[in-house]
Amino acid sequence: MALLLYRLGKFSYRHRWLVISLWLAVLVAVGGSAAAFHGTMSNNFQIPGTETQQMADKLRKELPSSSGGSAGIVFEANDAKFSQAGKEAVSAALTKLKTLPDVQGTVDPFATQAQLDAAAADLAAGEQKAVTGKAQLDQAAAELATGKAQLAAAEQQMAAAGLPPEAVEAQLGEQKAALAAGQEKLDAGTKELESGNEKLALGKRQLTASQGMRFVSEDGKAAIAQVQFKTSINGLEPRVRQEVQDIVREVSSAGVTALPSKEITEDVSEIFGVAEIVGIAVAALVLVIMLGTLVAASLPLLMALLGVAAGVGGTFALSGIVDMSSISPMLALMLGLAVGIDYCLFIVNRHRSQLLAGMDGEESVALATGTSGNAVLFAGLTVIIALAALVVPGLPFLAVMGLSAAATVAVAVVVALTLTPAVLSLVGRKLISKRAWSRAEKHNADPGHAAADRAKDEHRSSHGWGGLVTKHPVMATLAGVLLLGIVALPASQLRLALPDGGSEPVDSQAFKAYDVTSRSFGEGTTGPIVVVGDFPEGLSESEAMAKQLDVADVLRSTENVTAAVPVALSADRRTAVFQVIPKEGPASASTVEVVSGLRAEKGAIEDSLGVSIGLTGQTAGNIDVSTKLGDALPPYLAIVVGLSLILLLLVFRSIVVPLLATGGFLLSLAAAFGAVVAVYQWGWLGSVFGVDNPGAVLSFLPIILIGVLFGLAMDYQVFIASGMRESFMHGESARHAVRSGFSHASAVVTAAAIIMVSVFSGFIFSHLNMVRPLGFAMAFGVLVDAFVVRMTIVPAVMYLLGEKAWWLPRWLDRILPDVDVEGARLRKPSTTAAGASAPEPADVAAG
């Protein structure tokens, strides 16, 4: 592989304009495709086959009016209460919303609350009327009984006096007819009273079901409206979201503040903000300090940006035909920038060092591509494997996320191996400052510079951080493991959920809407649970209504449920929709228990009422996603680690080094989880990282972090350990090779890690709140993995093990292919005209 890359580097150097032209053509094609075919980003994390998706499909088919997504808009009066003008302005805005093509309908909070209040008053009046009617009926019944008794007594007296029946009938006939009419009237009144009582009982049940739900707050200062869309919330275009916001904000002229919920205000169309630019600026500063010239520093940045343009552009081009979450291009952007800079840096730094040593430019570029480029290739492969394996859990949005990021990393690798050599041929000596050239020429002219270089390398390898770690390997190992173990402790309390409005920044519209809704109507109103009931066939309207209330009673009896209200019934009375309001917000632990509790009632409801139920809606769907992701973690971790262990076995031809690399990764991963829990779940240092409302951790953060961090950790393992193996293969003792290999790789790995941490840190303050914990987790994970694991624990343990670190069974050594990651085949030296070491053509051809 080293030889193939050596030839690729030489080809790119010699045919620079061809390579550059091909890449420009690719960028134009990708850019044009992205502009022409891009679709709408969403945050749709539904999983096909789950109950929530099945119930959503059922509603779409059988009750279309309730199948679209819904979102809340909370209106707050600027004064103590809503004025009449304010109420009219809100109603007018909602009426105007109905005219939008994407809006199915709206619920006017004032009209709905008036109906609820009127229903309570009507029920009270009806109960009073029923009491009065009962009293009247009782009085009439008593009078009728008295009349009947009197008539019976009169009949007895007449019969005792010997009057014939005809005479008795003639005298008492009118009284009997009057009594019969009275009885008939009494029976009709009783029947009417019974019917009224049935309606009252039904009204009472309906009122009981709606208790706990309000549309206008009790203090009259806030009102919440519902907007039903024709499509899912996640499918709304940014244009529609903006139209809705513009219309409802017209109420400001009437002294009312409109606060649309997160579902409406969330803008996922932009993926780049100020914070990300700051991260790149820090990376640029590190490159300038390390490489010494603006030309050299700008080269890795340029290569990374071109790679990201191609990779993320391709992602956008596919968004028109693939349902893609907003975090997919964000993840591709983060990784593309970070690895793109690092991969190019490794090659540029190697080339720069060889030029300063006096090597010919073409030969230097080819050799840097064959050696450092080889390490770049295998490091990139570990990242690609880890990301591509995100398809294994079977979650569509996660698979798209992983494949788009893996493709962008692959592009970064290809850019580093082809475009970088081509551009280096154009840059030539401008890569190095005049002062550095002057010093190098003087140094190379000294006949004893080779011995001086060896002495300098020897001194450097036994001093500095690498020397300190290898002088005290046991202490360094224990200190590193102990430190990461302590940081990892909070990870045991990790709780997963998808973010809601309460996790947004406090100055955002989404948080203000969430806050006002929670204070005025209860936390659970921000995340209602939708229950779909499948009713028996042939029910009358009254039977179906009673059945709805029976189901609502059972749902309401679930622990931590505030209200359970029937909200819709299909025309054939087979499908009913209920809205369940939990006690707390959608991301809380108690709401997760509510969903479990409602599902636990399925059997009882079906047995007692003959109704089968299922849950759907955003809240239940988010909980299902979090559960599925949690279940997918162990098998995913096993697959990623297993595949990468095989790759590392090929690279290092050692049993111990891959195991040590993986063990170190697990320590870094646990520490990263611990830090995320402490900051984003517990709120430690929340003011520093902009965590105003700590809560559950983003549900797909762990699985993405596993894939990304493993790939990046193996990057640094390859660059650090390949230097050690290179020294060991060139005859140094195993322990000395640890020191010398570390000293050669530590500077560039340190710079690369700082760059990667800087890029990821820029996303900690991203305008997309969902991305922030992911940026923090990656930045912190890379930080501890690079400096604590790869640059402390790994060299300390390998120094302790000595030659045992490179042990490989003979039978395995024979069957493993030699991938030559350290470029040993390119290291058969001959002396060039400049006096530098280079591969002999015969050796290259033979290799």
Side-chain angles (χ1 to χ4, degrees):
M1 184 58 70
L3 179 59
L4 180 64
L5 293 177
Y6 171 87
R7 290 170 174 167
L8 178 62
K10 183 160 283 194
F11 175 87
S12 298
Y13 188 96
R14 290 177 177 175
H15 303 86
R16 50 185 173 272
W17 290 116
L18 173 62
V19 173
I20 292 172
S21 299
L22 288 174
W23 273 110
L24 287 175
V26 168
L27 288 172
V28 169
V30 169
S33 300
F37 305 118
H38 76 279
T40 302
M41 295 288 167
S42 73
N43 278 332
N44 181 13
F45 301 118
Q46 293 294 325
I47 304 173
T50 59
E51 179 186 83
T52 50
Q53 190 61 48
Q54 290 171 354
M55 291 299 104
D57 293 341
K58 179 181 175 68
L59 283 181
R60 195 175 296 112
K61 180 181 177 182
E62 300 178 12
L63 200 56
S65 61
S66 297
S67 65
S70 65
I73 301 173
V74 62
F75 297 93
E76 190 174 29
N78 297 339
D79 298 326
K81 287 187 176 182
F82 281 99
S83 62
Q84 185 58 36
K87 293 179 181 179
E88 290 173 357
V90 170
S91 299
L94 294 174
T95 302
K96 190 174 180 179
L97 279 182
K98 291 180 184 178
T99 64
L100 295 180
D102 295 272
V103 174
Q104 182 88 20
T106 61
V107 176
D108 188 316
F110 300 108
T112 308
Q113 189 63 53
Q115 289 175 358
L116 287 175
D117 295 341
D122 291 345
L123 185 64
E127 287 179 332
Q128 184 59 45
K129 184 178 178 181
V131 170
T132 303
K134 179 70 165 56
Q136 291 173 346
L137 285 175
D138 289 344
Q139 183 179 352
E143 291 173 354
L144 188 63
T146 301
K148 286 181 177 180
Q150 291 174 348
L151 181 64
E155 282 183 327
Q156 288 178 356
Q157 289 177 357
M158 289 181 176
L163 289 176
E166 295 80 2
V168 172
E169 184 63 30
Q171 293 187 27
L172 300 180
E174 290 184 5
Q175 294 180 19
K176 284 185 177 182
L179 286 174
Q183 183 64 53
E184 187 176 343
K185 187 176 181 181
L186 179 63
D187 291 342
T190 302
K191 187 175 181 181
E192 184 179 351
L193 181 64
E194 289 175 351
S195 176
N197 285 338
E198 287 180 5
K199 289 181 179 179
L200 277 175
L202 195 61
K204 278 184 180 180
R205 294 186 68 188
Q206 288 175 324
L207 192 62
T208 301
S210 63
Q211 283 179 353
M213 282 193 76
R214 290 192 64 85
F215 295 85
V216 179
S217 61
E218 292 182 357
D219 60 7
K221 188 174 174 61
I224 187 166
Q226 290 293 325
V227 181
Q228 185 83 21
F229 295 95
K230 293 180 180 178
T231 60
S232 69
I233 286 292
N234 297 312
L236 288 179
E237 295 181 3
R239 172 188 56 81
V240 177
R241 297 173 188 270
Q242 192 58 52
E243 282 181 342
V244 172
Q245 294 176 63
D246 292 342
I247 289 173
V248 298
R249 283 171 185 157
E250 293 174 1
V251 301
S252 60
S253 60
V256 177
T257 300
L259 297 169
S261 65
K262 175 177 179 283
E263 290 79 9
I264 295 174
T265 59
E266 187 174 50
D267 182 11
V268 298
S269 59
E270 295 183 5
I271 65 170
F272 216 71
V274 176
E276 292 88 339
I277 295 173
V278 172
I280 294 175
V282 174
L285 180 61
V286 174
L287 287 170
V288 171
I289 293 172
M290 179 183 179
L291 299 176
T293 65
L294 287 175
V295 172
S298 61
L299 189 57
L301 284 174
L302 177 63
M303 295 298 100
L305 290 173
L306 291 175
V308 163
V312 177
T315 299
F316 271 112
L318 293 172
S319 63
I321 56 175
V322 177
D323 188 13
M324 192 173 293
S325 66
S326 63
I327 204 168
S328 294
M330 287 296 289
L331 181 63
L333 177 66
M334 276 193 283
L335 287 175
L337 282 174
V339 302
I341 294 172
D342 279 4
Y343 292 167
C344 182
L345 172 62
F346 290 126
I347 294 174
V348 169
N349 185 65
R350 185 69 169 251
H351 171 58
R352 181 176 177 274
S353 299
Q354 291 169 171
L355 284 181
L356 288 172
M359 188 179 291
D360 172 69
E362 180 179 332
E363 195 61 49
S364 177
V365 167
L367 188 60
T369 308
T371 52
S372 292
N374 206 9
V376 163
L377 176 62
F378 282 96
L381 281 174
T382 60
V383 181
I384 293 167
I385 288 172
L387 291 170
L390 286 172
V391 303
V392 173
L395 311 181
F397 73 89
L398 194 63
V400 171
M401 205 179 297
L403 290 175
S404 62
T408 304
V409 172
V411 171
V413 171
V414 177
V415 166
L417 296 177
T418 58
L419 188 57
T420 300
V423 176
L424 284 174
S425 72
L426 288 177
V427 173
R429 290 171 62 98
K430 294 177 184 177
L431 192 70
I432 301 170
S433 67
K434 292 180 180 179
R435 182 180 299 177
W437 267 121
S438 177
R439 285 199 306 266
E441 287 172 351
K442 288 180 182 179
H443 178 75
N444 293 334
D446 182 0
H449 75 86
D453 287 345
R454 285 194 295 272
K456 185 178 178 181
D457 286 346
E458 184 65 30
H459 180 271
R460 187 173 60 181
S461 67
S462 60
H463 292 74
W465 184 251
L468 180 65
V469 166
T470 52
K471 283 177 184 175
H472 309 282
V474 175
M475 185 180 297
T477 303
L478 292 177
V481 172
L482 184 62
L483 173 64
L484 295 183
I486 292 172
V487 176
L489 288 176
S492 61
Q493 304 299 314
L494 179 66
R495 187 166 63 83
L496 303 177
L498 284 171
D500 56 26
S503 61
E504 296 292 315
V506 291
D507 58 346
S508 66
Q509 290 286 310
F511 177 79
K512 291 175 182 176
Y514 182 92
D515 184 50
V516 173
T517 304
S518 298
R519 285 190 283 105
S520 304
F521 304 100
E523 261 191 273
T525 309
T526 62
I529 300 165
V530 179
V531 177
V532 181
D534 192 8
F535 281 11
E537 218 174 338
L539 293 179
S540 66
E541 186 175 349
S542 59
E543 288 173 336
M545 188 176 293
K547 189 77 74 175
Q548 280 182 292
L549 294 170
D550 289 340
V551 174
D553 288 342
V554 179
L555 298 177
R556 193 169 51 257
S557 66
T558 305
E559 190 176 357
N560 290 319
V561 167
T562 301
V565 187
V567 292
L569 184 67
S570 62
D572 61 0
R573 295 187 283 276
R574 292 294 311 276
T575 303
V577 181
F578 304 84
Q579 194 173 76
V580 176
I581 308 297
K583 186 178 180 180
E584 295 184 316
S588 68
S590 68
T591 302
V592 176
E593 293 173 2
V594 167
V595 170
S596 299
L598 291 173
R599 285 173 170 158
E601 296 287 352
K602 281 184 183 182
I605 292 174
E606 188 157 13
D607 291 343
S608 60
L609 302 175
V611 177
S612 62
I613 66 166
L615 274 57
T616 190
Q618 195 79 16
T619 300
N622 288 353
I623 290 171
D624 283 349
V625 169
S626 299
T627 302
K628 287 278 186 182
L629 287 168
D631 294 341
L633 278 178
Y636 173 72
L637 182 60
I639 289 168
V640 169
V641 171
L643 289 175
S644 295
L645 276 175
I646 295 172
L647 185 63
L648 290 175
L649 184 65
L650 291 173
V651 171
F652 295 115
R653 306 187 72 79
S654 162
I655 297 293
V656 173
V657 174
L659 293 176
L660 178 60
T662 304
F665 156 71
L666 294 175
L667 276 175
S668 301
L669 181 67
F673 282 158
V676 168
V677 169
V679 174
Y680 289 90
Q681 191 171 311
W682 294 354
W684 292 7
L685 300 176
S687 59
V688 175
F689 295 103
V691 184
D692 302 306
N693 302 286
V697 173
L698 183 67
S699 58
F700 51 80
L701 182 148
I703 199 165
I704 291 178
L705 182 61
I706 287 173
V708 172
L709 185 58
F710 188 81
L712 299 180
M714 295 309 105
D715 274 7
Y716 296 127
Q717 180 70 26
V718 167
F719 291 120
I720 286 282
S722 62
M724 298 175 184
R725 176 171 171 78
E726 184 176 346
S727 297
F728 180 67
M729 294 299 291
H730 283 87
E732 295 183 17
S733 68
R735 290 186 172 179
H736 191 276
V738 170
R739 285 184 171 179
S740 61
F742 182 89
S743 68
H744 288 141
S746 59
V748 69
V749 169
T750 298
I754 293 173
I755 288 168
M756 198 167 282
V757 170
S758 301
V759 173
F760 288 152
S761 295
F763 290 86
I764 295 175
F765 305 97
S766 171
H767 64 293
L768 289 179
N769 195 59
M770 190 181 297
V771 175
R772 295 183 175 192
L774 195 56
F776 173 85
M778 290 184 184
F780 186 85
V782 168
L783 183 70
V784 297
D785 190 84
F787 293 106
V788 180
V789 174
R790 308 303 151 192
M791 301 182 71
T792 302
I793 296 175
V794 167
V797 173
M798 290 185 69
Y799 190 84
L800 283 171
L801 292 174
E803 291 191 3
K804 293 178 182 176
W806 303 109
W807 174 77
L808 184 71
R810 290 183 180 178
W811 63 269
L812 187 56
D813 185 48
R814 285 194 299 270
I815 64 174
L816 285 179
D818 184 5
V819 297
D820 188 23
V821 73
E822 68 278 355
R825 294 185 182 181
L826 304 178
R827 293 297 183 155
K828 296 178 182 179
S830 66
T831 303
T832 66
S837 179
E840 291 183 1
D843 293 332
V844 172

